[in-house]
């Protein structure tokens, strides 16, 4: 059972690589269907790329590594592929592109492209071991109760990271990378809700508002959502990639207003109103009630000296919170960190010390922001590896 290329993982990056690798290519996956993360992404509509994707939207110990692949196969290339397949889509916000109908259309598109390229897909397959004998990679698998050994000139690691283990995510790519002499960086859950002491925000569950959130010197202006465990919503998911244990998160509750000027104006025009009532005009009612108790707010506006209003304004602009943890890989959209870029070619995704071994997608220490960037990295890195493998045959 000899193949030119065996790709471990039938996710976004693996299927993209198979489309472009050429030759006799086999894609293996343990799941019963390909592209399971694609299927559940974006609420079932798949945020497949971002109009503004560029290297600054990615986190890595080597911020330059992603530049080559992203520039040679960019968001416009993938958008063109989507358009050629007649998939309708829309921009939701901030350049985020979603399918109008279903994420399954993206999976169908990739399968069609793989079929046209002659790539073989084998599902419900467990990988028992991977080894190298001379120039050939040997992969021992179990499929439909039968064990067999396959061999290939090229092996592509596209099994992703540790996020969402209930879908079968493991650290397989990291283990295999280390087996073949590649280093890995620290991995953490990313794009994940932050948790706080039990019950801290339970009465605010479901409350949402636009904020500016800052942690570790990085700021995102997005929506915040209170949950029974803590804080979620795009703002917190973005911040989670930069947050570390013991670090505070600063939240500006009125990012598009001047709280002090607003409070002073209300004092002039509505001085008899309770300060808590004015707070309820500026913020969601449940949050206003919570902060009234938390900050011990009382009295009318007329009773407040400017110093008190300034103090309240500062708190609203810079509400300091310290999360206890994240919800972990269980709900994380991606894994931060991974296989070190030091051992890989940024042009081809091939291991420098192990010719024929390629690493693509989430398994690499390249992590995108929330908003379609991680899918774009999957398309770009998968394309780069596929093109490199294809050129070997020329």
């Amino acid at each position: 059972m000899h193949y030119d290329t065996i790709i471990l993982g039938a996710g976004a990056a693996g299927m993209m690589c198979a489309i472009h690798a050429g030759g006799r290519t086999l894609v293996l996956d343990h799941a019963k269907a390909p592209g399971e993360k694609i299927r559940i992404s974006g609420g079932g509509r798949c945020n497949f790329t971002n109009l503004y994707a560029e290297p600054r939207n990615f986190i890595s110990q080597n911020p330059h590594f992603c530049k080559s692949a992203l520039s040679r196969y960019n968001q416009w290339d993938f958008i063109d592929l989507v358009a050629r397949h007649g998939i309708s889509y829309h921009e939701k916000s901030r350049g985020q592109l979603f399918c109008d109908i279903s994420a399954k259309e993206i999976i169908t598109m990739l399968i069609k492209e793989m079929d046209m390229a002659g790539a073989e897909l084998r599902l419900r397959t467990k990988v028992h071991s991977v080894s190298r004998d001379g120039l050939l990679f040997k992969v021992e698998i179990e499929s439909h109760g039968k064990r067999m050994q396959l061999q290939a000139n090229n092996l592509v690691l596209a099994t992703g990271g540790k996020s969402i283990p209930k879908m079968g995510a493991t650290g397989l790519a990291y283990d295999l990378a280390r087996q073949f002499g590649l280093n890995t960086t620290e991995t953490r859950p990313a794009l994940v809700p932050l948790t706080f002491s039990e019950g801290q925000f339970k009465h605010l569950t479901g409350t949402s508002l636009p904020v500016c959130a800052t942690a570790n010197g990085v700021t995102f202006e997005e929506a915040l959502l209170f949950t029974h465990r803590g804080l979620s919503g795009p703002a917190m998911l973005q911040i989670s990639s930069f947050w570390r244990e013991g670090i505070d998160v600063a939240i500006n509750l009125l990012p598009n207003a001047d709280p002090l000027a607003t409070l002073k104006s209300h004092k002039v025009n509505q001085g008899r109103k309770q300060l808590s009532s004015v707070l309820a005009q500026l913020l969601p009612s449940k949050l206003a009630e919570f902060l009234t108790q938390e900050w011990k707010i009382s009295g009318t506006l007329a009773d407040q000296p400017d110093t008190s209003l300034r103090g309240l304004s500062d708190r609203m602009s810079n509400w300091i919170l310290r999360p206890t943890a994240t919800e972990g890989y269980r709900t994380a959209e991606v894994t931060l960190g991974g296989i070190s870029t030091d051992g890989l070619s940024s042009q081809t995704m091939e291991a420098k010390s192990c010719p024929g071994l390629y690493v693509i997608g989430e398994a690499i220490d390249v992590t995108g922001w929330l908003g379609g960037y991680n899918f774009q990295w999957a398309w770009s890195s998968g394309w780069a590896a596929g093109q490199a493998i294809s050129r070997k045959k020329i």
Side-chain angles (χ1 to χ4, degrees):
M1 300 289 288
H2 181 87
Y3 293 87
D4 294 305
T5 304
I6 292 177
I7 300 171
L8 304 184
M15 288 193 283
M16 192 66 170
C17 182
I19 290 166
H20 295 278
R24 193 176 184 205
T25 296
L26 172 66
V27 183
L28 302 174
D29 202 289
H30 68 277
K32 62 182 180 181
E36 283 293 87
K37 270 196 173 181
I38 298 175
R39 180 183 61 81
I40 68 169
S41 67
R45 293 194 175 181
C46 187
N47 179 193
F48 57 82
T49 192
N50 193 293
L51 292 173
Y52 308 117
E54 55 184 71
R56 72 178 186 88
N57 306 121
F58 295 84
I59 308 163
S60 173
Q61 288 193 4
N62 178 3
H64 302 291
F65 181 84
C66 64
K67 291 180 178 179
S68 175
L70 289 172
S71 65
R72 290 183 296 128
Y73 190 91
N74 59 33
Q75 59 268 39
W76 306 109
D77 295 310
F78 193 77
I79 290 169
D80 181 61
L81 177 62
V82 168
R84 291 203 309 270
H85 281 260
I87 300 173
S88 59
Y89 60 89
H90 61 277
E91 179 184 357
K92 191 172 182 180
S93 65
R94 301 176 187 272
Q96 302 171 22
L97 300 187
F98 290 77
C99 297
D100 285 345
I101 300 174
S102 170
K104 294 178 182 179
E105 293 179 289
I106 298 294
I107 300 172
T108 299
M109 174 191 77
L110 295 170
I111 292 173
K112 285 181 179 178
E113 289 285 327
M114 285 174 57
D115 288 343
M116 288 190 288
E120 180 185 345
L121 175 63
R122 189 175 299 184
L123 301 168
R124 301 176 187 268
T125 300
K126 181 179 180 179
V127 175
H128 281 283
S129 67
V130 178
S131 60
R132 194 175 190 192
D133 184 3
L135 297 177
L136 294 177
F137 292 94
K138 293 189 175 181
V139 182
E140 186 178 350
I141 65 169
E142 183 176 336
S143 181
H144 303 291
K146 295 182 179 179
R147 291 181 73 142
M148 63 187 76
Q149 190 175 83
L150 312 175
Q151 61 182 25
N153 302 319
N154 305 293
L155 179 69
V156 183
L157 306 183
T159 56
K162 300 177 181 178
S163 57
I164 318 184
K166 69 179 181 180
M167 295 182 66
T170 67
L172 176 61
Y174 311 139
D175 295 338
L176 292 176
R178 287 190 286 264
Q179 177 185 324
F180 289 108
L182 297 176
N183 294 322
T184 57
T185 67
E186 177 194 8
T187 56
R188 295 175 57 88
L191 303 184
V192 62
L194 301 178
T195 60
F196 289 76
S197 58
E198 188 175 353
Q200 184 171 347
F201 300 122
K202 65 179 180 180
H203 297 302
L204 296 175
T205 299
T207 300
S208 177
L209 74 161
V211 302
C212 265
T214 301
N216 236 344
V218 180
T219 300
F220 287 96
E221 185 174 351
E222 296 267 12
L224 178 150
L225 173 68
F226 290 91
T227 73
H228 65 288
R229 288 192 177 93
L231 300 179
S232 187
M236 290 301 105
L237 298 185
Q238 296 279 35
I239 282 297
S240 70
S241 296
F242 300 89
W243 178 80
R244 295 293 181 272
E245 289 76 4
I247 292 178
D248 291 332
V249 174
I251 299 174
N252 183 347
L253 295 169
L254 291 173
N256 300 310
D258 182 340
L260 181 57
T262 302
L263 290 171
K264 284 184 175 181
S265 174
H266 280 295
K267 181 179 179 180
V268 171
N269 300 308
Q270 306 175 50
R272 294 182 180 179
K273 274 198 170 184
Q274 290 291 315
L275 190 54
S276 58
S277 298
V278 175
L279 200 62
Q281 293 177 4
L282 302 176
L283 300 171
S285 57
K286 284 186 179 180
L287 178 59
E289 182 181 348
F290 173 85
L291 294 177
T292 296
Q293 298 175 14
E294 186 84 0
W295 295 344
K296 298 178 173 57
I297 294 171
S298 63
T300 66
L301 273 170
D303 294 334
Q304 312 300 319
D306 285 354
T307 53
S308 295
L309 295 182
R310 185 173 291 107
L312 178 57
S313 170
D314 290 343
R315 279 184 158 184
M316 294 172 70
S317 300
N318 195 37
W319 186 23
I320 303 299
L321 297 170
R322 178 165 291 187
T324 56
T326 74
E327 289 191 4
Y329 290 114
R330 181 181 64 84
T331 59
E333 294 194 16
V334 292
T335 302
L336 185 72
I339 297 168
S340 174
T341 60
D342 290 347
L344 303 174
S345 164
S346 63
Q347 298 282 324
T348 65
M349 307 294 128
E350 187 174 19
K352 296 174 183 177
S353 61
C354 187
L357 177 66
Y358 297 80
V359 187
I360 57 177
E362 186 184 346
I364 302 176
D365 174 29
V366 174
T367 306
W369 293 1
L370 180 73
Y373 300 105
N374 286 292
F375 272 127
Q376 186 55 51
W377 173 243
W379 315 135
S380 297
S381 60
W383 177 90
Q387 288 290 311
I389 292 169
S390 178
R391 285 197 299 270
K392 281 185 174 181
K393 302 177 182 62
I394 298 176

